[in-house]
Amino acid sequence: MDDCIFCKIVRGEIPSAKVYEDQDILAFNDINPVAPVHVLIVPKKHVSDIMTLSEHEQRAQIMESVIRAVPAVAKAAGVAETGFRLINNCGEEGGQTVMHLHFHLIGGRKLGEKLI
Ligand code: AMP
Ligand code: ZN
């Protein structure tokens, strides 16, 4: 996707603070963190949101790549032992602002009961 900001980050056209990378995933620090640790886990393949992903022929591989990356990102961010929260926002009322599937890994302090 030419004008997708996360595709541009994946292609290296926009800088990011990389936390973890493998062939399917790029994880980088959120530019506007809500906690001491706030990393975005982004599948390199452009899929707009989790509803679209559910219809995607590669949905299993894409989700598997996210699940595989989570412990590596948590370790790299220093929260593997202390714990963290994984959040996906979908659509307008879900608070999604970047239409490229991503998961927020948030931690580094004791979080509130439900959100942040
Ligand atoms: P969401 O609201 O779930 O779509 O999350 C999008 C997230 O992307 C927000 O938390 C933004 O702070 C973050 N974000 C937007 N642009 C950038 C960027 N260039 N680098 C890092 N994070 C970004
Ligand atoms: Zn994209």
Side-chain angles (χ1 to χ4, degrees):
M1 294 291 276
D2 289 351
D3 56 354
C4 168
I5 187 167
F6 286 177
C7 283
K8 287 184 179 174
I9 289 175
V10 165
R11 291 196 297 263
E13 295 166 14
I14 294 177
S16 68
K18 182 164 72 177
V19 174
Y20 169 83
E21 183 171 18
D22 63 30
Q23 65 173 22
D24 302 313
I25 296 289
L26 181 66
F28 51 89
N29 287 327
D30 196 295
I31 206 167
N32 189 18
V34 298
V37 170
H38 187 169
V39 181
L40 300 174
I41 300 177
V42 179
K44 290 182 176 177
K45 186 178 288 290
H46 181 92
V47 179
S48 60
D49 59 30
I50 200 155
M51 294 295 282
T52 308
L53 178 71
S54 72
E55 304 291 333
H56 198 288
E57 60 176 8
Q58 288 178 274
R59 60 188 175 274
Q61 294 96 311
I62 292 169
M63 273 314 293
E64 203 274 334
S65 68
V66 172
I67 291 164
R68 187 161 29 83
V70 165
V73 173
K75 279 179 200 144
V79 295
E81 305 299 326
T82 48
F84 54 86
R85 185 164 294 155
L86 197 61
I87 295 176
N88 171 253
N89 295 329
C90 183
E92 194 185 340
E93 291 198 356
Q96 186 175 6
T97 58
V98 176
M99 296 307 291
H100 179 132
L101 179 71
H102 57 279
F103 296 82
H104 300 251
L105 189 148
I106 294 169
R109 65 165 162 79
K110 179 76 177 159
L111 300 173
E113 241 179 65
K114 283 287 178 284
L115 290 175
I116 50 179

